Amino acid sequence: MQLVHATSIEIDGHAVLIRGPSGCGKSDLALRLIDGGAMLVADDQTEISAENSRLFASSPATISGIMEVRGLGIVRLPHRDRVPVALVVDLIAAKDVERLPEPAMAGFLGLRVPRVALAAFESSTPAKVRLAVGVATRDSAVL
């Protein structure tokens, strides 16, 4: 098992790990995705495990089902446990997001999953995450 500084959510049975430094918008992006139907897996810290050549995301027991929401505090939310990882989203500054990026991967425990780099606070970012999950889970390419 590996502990990763990432907030993770579940979209259509697939976990998305949202990584970035403290205060960069991980929980904010996760909350916007949850508002659109995603489910919380873990906020700020995600446990990654490997089984049968697949990665799984889960929450440390001490923070299971809770999320820090700036301006509201700690809130309890419905959540999912042990979801297969489909995508890693690294949060970067809007000026650094590439228009036509090359495919990228992130590695954990000797396994790799697709990775994208996006800006947390752009209004289109939740839609981009959903699209990237669709691409990652259908093994197709963005044209």
Side-chain angles (χ1 to χ4, degrees):
M1 182 186 58
Q2 179 179 351
L3 188 64
V4 178
H5 182 206
T7 293
S8 53
I9 51 96
E10 176 262 337
I11 297 174
D12 298 329
H14 306 284
V16 176
L17 274 61
I18 304 169
R19 301 189 301 186
S22 294
C24 75
K26 294 183 301 292
S27 296
D28 184 273
L29 175 56
L31 186 61
R32 288 184 285 145
L33 287 159
I34 290 166
D35 190 49
M39 293 286 290
L40 177 67
V41 175
D43 185 38
D44 198 52
Q45 297 290 317
T46 299
E47 291 178 346
I48 304 295
S49 59
E51 183 180 319
N52 298 325
S53 298
R54 292 182 71 188
L55 293 171
F56 292 87
S58 58
S59 178
T62 56
I63 61 170
S64 184
I66 61 173
M67 182 176 207
E68 178 185 339
V69 179
R70 286 184 197 260
L72 296 180
I74 305 296
V75 298
R76 187 159 294 285
L77 294 173
H79 66 285
R80 298 272 193 257
D81 283 325
R82 203 169 174 324
V83 181
V85 178
L87 180 70
V88 171
V89 175
D90 283 330
L91 298 180
I92 61 174
K95 68 178 181 55
D96 296 328
V97 175
E98 292 183 45
R99 288 185 66 192
L100 300 170
E102 293 294 322
M105 303 294 277
F108 305 94
L109 304 172
L111 299 172
R112 296 164 34 108
V113 293
R115 176 195 156 291
V116 296
L118 300 171
F121 299 110
E122 291 182 341
S123 60
S124 63
T125 300
K128 291 175 183 177
V129 170
R130 289 181 188 285
L131 180 60
V133 168
V135 169
T137 59
R138 289 181 192 91
D139 197 29
S140 60
V142 174
L143 300 178

